[in-house]
């Protein structure tokens, strides 16, 4: 068996830099990912934060496509609750027409921000017409279908019609979300970077292997440095906090202050705020690769989407380069010419 590596990027704004520089850093990172043989590069959606420059992954995808040649580019993901499924399908059909076979559509259920930005994004929407997330996702799937909606006298199509539609993925961390992906025949990415519970990962992997023929993909946070202690020190500074609402919904944020901000802005009463253990793989290249190998063997994981929770562009570049170089060392010389750089047998 073998596994592949991809990148999940949030386009962080480093201290003292402008958003323009952050976008230039993203382009350099995706170029590095392509150079070192990573399979895909996804851009997240986050709103109303000066720390991240990625509220519109569709726009950044087009820019990343223009600066690369073969790596797959996608969203990680579009937060469907804010948008018309029809408009999302149109956007990604345009992207798929620009770069056939290279565009991927990752869909997320989270808000991608705090309640203030959620209300602003949904201000023009009629809640009665929005439907449930499952209904929205099903409608999006229909618009993305090559057949689309042609069963009426005046069919509604999400044009243009690309020769290859964007590959759809659902992002989540629950059995219900995974079941939605199974029902639609979509691929799924398990958000282990937001929930490091190995028991939950084991439960999900067993469910997925039993119910889907699609690859088992998980997202993880990784920090790699020449000096293991340096990477470990960086990882210790990271935090995860879970906000539990009275309606049963959960939101994960990066600090206690952010959790309190969410509480102030939320229309739904907050039931609890708890710190969660982080699940960052941090260390030297050989240490992190060994941990990925172990996860691959234990859970039969086909691909890891790597989230690098650092803002310094050089440190992010270093993580990609060091990990890719370490993986290439494991490929036998006689096979190296015939295998992608980051696929290990």
């Amino acid at each position: 068996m073998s596994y592949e590596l991809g990148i999940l990027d949030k386009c962080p704004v480093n201290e003292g830099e402008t958003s323009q520089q952050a976008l230039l850093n993203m382009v350099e990172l995706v170029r590095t990912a392509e150079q070192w043989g990573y399979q895909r590069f996804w851009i997240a959606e986050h709103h109303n934060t000066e720390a991240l420059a990625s509220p519109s992954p569709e726009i950044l995808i087009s820019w990343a496509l223009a600066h690369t040649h073969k790596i797959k580019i996608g969203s990680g993901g579009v937060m469907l609750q804010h948008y018309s499924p029809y408009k999302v399908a149109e956007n990604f059909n345009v992207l798929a027409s620009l770069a056939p076979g290279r565009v991927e559509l990752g869909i997320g259920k989270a808000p991608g921000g705090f309640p203030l930005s959620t209300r602003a994004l949904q201000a023009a929407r009629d809640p009665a017409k929005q439907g449930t997330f499952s209904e929205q996702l099903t409608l999006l799937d229909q618009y993305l279908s090559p057949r689309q909606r042609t069963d009426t006298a005046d069919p509604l199509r999400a044009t243009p019609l690309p020769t290859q539609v964007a590959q759809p993925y659902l992002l989540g961390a629950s059995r219900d979300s995974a079941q939605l992906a199974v029902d639609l025949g979509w691929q799924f990415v398990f958000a282990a970077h937001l929930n490091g519970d190995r028991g939950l990962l084991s439960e999900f992997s067993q469910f997925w292997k039993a119910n889907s023929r699609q690859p088992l993909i998980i997202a993880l946070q990784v920090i790699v440095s020449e000096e293991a202690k340096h990477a470990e020190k960086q990882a210790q500074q990271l935090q995860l906090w879970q906000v539990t609402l009275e309606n049963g919904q959960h939101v994960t944020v990066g600090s206690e202050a952010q959790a309190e901000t969410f509480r102030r802005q939320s229309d739904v009463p907050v039931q609890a705020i708890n710190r969660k253990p982080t699940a960052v793989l941090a260390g030297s290249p050989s240490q992190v690769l060994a941990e990925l190998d172990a996860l691959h063997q234990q859970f039969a994981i086909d691909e890891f989407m790597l989230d690098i929770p650092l803002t310094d562009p050089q440190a992010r570049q270093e993580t990609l380069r060091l990990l890719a170089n370490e993986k290439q060392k494991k490929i036998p010389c006689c096979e190296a010419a015939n295998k992608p750089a980051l696929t290990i047998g």
Side-chain angles (χ1 to χ4, degrees):
M1 295 178 63
S2 61
Y3 64 87
E4 297 178 341
L5 297 182
I7 304 300
L8 174 61
D9 189 50
K10 298 184 180 73
C11 199
V13 181
N14 195 37
E15 185 176 355
E17 291 185 339
T18 64
S19 57
Q20 179 186 22
Q21 186 58 54
L23 297 174
L24 293 173
N25 293 339
M26 185 212 73
V27 166
E28 289 306 310
L29 195 69
V30 70
R31 284 173 170 168
T32 298
E34 181 171 68
Q35 175 187 350
W36 284 99
Y38 287 83
Q39 300 300 310
R40 64 196 82 250
F41 188 98
W42 286 3
I43 302 160
E45 176 180 328
H46 289 278
H47 300 280
N48 193 29
T49 171
E50 295 181 4
L52 303 172
S54 58
S56 303
E58 306 93 330
I59 295 175
L60 298 184
I61 287 169
S62 65
W63 202 42
L65 287 169
H67 286 83
T68 53
H69 303 284
K70 59 183 180 180
I71 189 172
K72 294 180 179 180
I73 309 292
S75 56
V78 169
M79 299 308 163
L80 187 58
Q81 64 169 289
H82 303 317
Y83 312 114
S84 156
Y86 181 67
K87 184 57 178 176
V88 173
E90 285 187 323
N91 285 341
F92 277 82
N93 278 354
V94 170
L95 292 169
S97 297
L98 288 171
R102 290 185 59 204
V103 177
E104 298 181 324
L105 169 57
I107 293 292
K109 190 176 181 179
F114 295 158
L116 198 63
S117 59
T118 294
R119 287 194 290 272
L121 286 162
Q122 299 179 3
R125 301 197 63 176
D126 181 352
K129 296 180 180 179
Q130 181 173 356
T132 66
F133 180 78
S134 177
E135 291 169 339
Q136 288 182 289
L137 197 67
T138 300
L139 193 56
L140 174 60
D141 182 66
Q142 292 173 356
Y143 287 135
L144 291 172
S145 168
R147 297 183 301 277
Q148 301 212 18
R149 303 171 69 87
T150 60
D151 54 348
T152 64
D154 297 303
L156 176 62
R157 297 184 176 91
T159 55
L161 304 179
T163 56
Q164 296 183 57
V165 298
Q167 177 67 50
Y169 295 76
L170 181 59
L171 290 66
S174 70
R175 173 77 71 89
D176 289 345
S177 293
Q179 185 64 59
L180 265 178
V182 169
D183 293 342
L184 293 173
W186 283 30
Q187 297 198 50
F188 187 81
V189 180
F190 180 77
H193 64 313
L194 300 179
N195 194 328
D197 186 340
R198 292 295 173 89
L200 187 60
L201 176 56
S202 177
E203 179 184 335
F204 163 72
S205 64
Q206 293 175 32
F207 169 83
W208 191 251
K209 291 295 184 181
N211 291 278
S212 176
R213 295 184 178 180
Q214 301 285 7
L216 176 60
I217 308 172
I218 71 168
L220 286 175
Q221 289 188 321
V222 298
I223 300 175
V224 182
S225 178
E226 294 277 12
E227 296 292 334
K229 290 184 179 180
H230 180 62
E232 292 164 0
K233 183 177 180 180
Q234 290 175 309
Q236 289 171 0
Q237 299 173 12
L238 302 175
Q239 298 183 26
L240 284 179
W241 290 78
Q242 185 176 74
V243 181
T244 302
L245 306 180
E246 287 191 357
N247 62 6
Q249 292 183 323
H250 302 278
V251 178
T252 301
V253 295
S255 70
E256 187 175 15
Q258 290 180 354
E260 289 298 335
T261 298
F262 195 98
R263 184 204 294 272
R264 289 197 308 272
Q265 296 182 10
S266 179
D267 291 329
V268 179
V270 171
Q271 185 179 71
I273 294 177
N274 298 297
R275 186 166 182 175
K276 298 172 58 178
T278 57
V280 186
L281 302 187
S284 67
S286 60
Q287 288 174 330
V288 172
L289 186 61
E291 292 192 64
L292 292 176
D293 289 345
L295 287 169
H296 164 66
Q297 293 296 331
Q298 182 177 359
F299 300 110
I301 295 168
D302 297 295
E303 182 171 350
F304 296 96
M305 291 295 293
L306 305 180
D307 171 16
I308 308 169
L310 302 173
T311 60
D312 180 69
Q314 295 304 316
R316 290 159 58 75
Q317 293 271 351
E318 183 180 55
T319 285
L320 289 194
R321 178 180 58 82
L322 291 174
L323 190 58
N325 189 54
E326 187 68 22
K327 283 186 73 69
Q328 286 184 340
K329 292 178 183 178
K330 294 186 64 176
I331 302 177
C333 294
C334 59
E335 298 180 17
N338 299 318
K339 286 193 174 185
L342 293 179
T343 300
I344 295 204

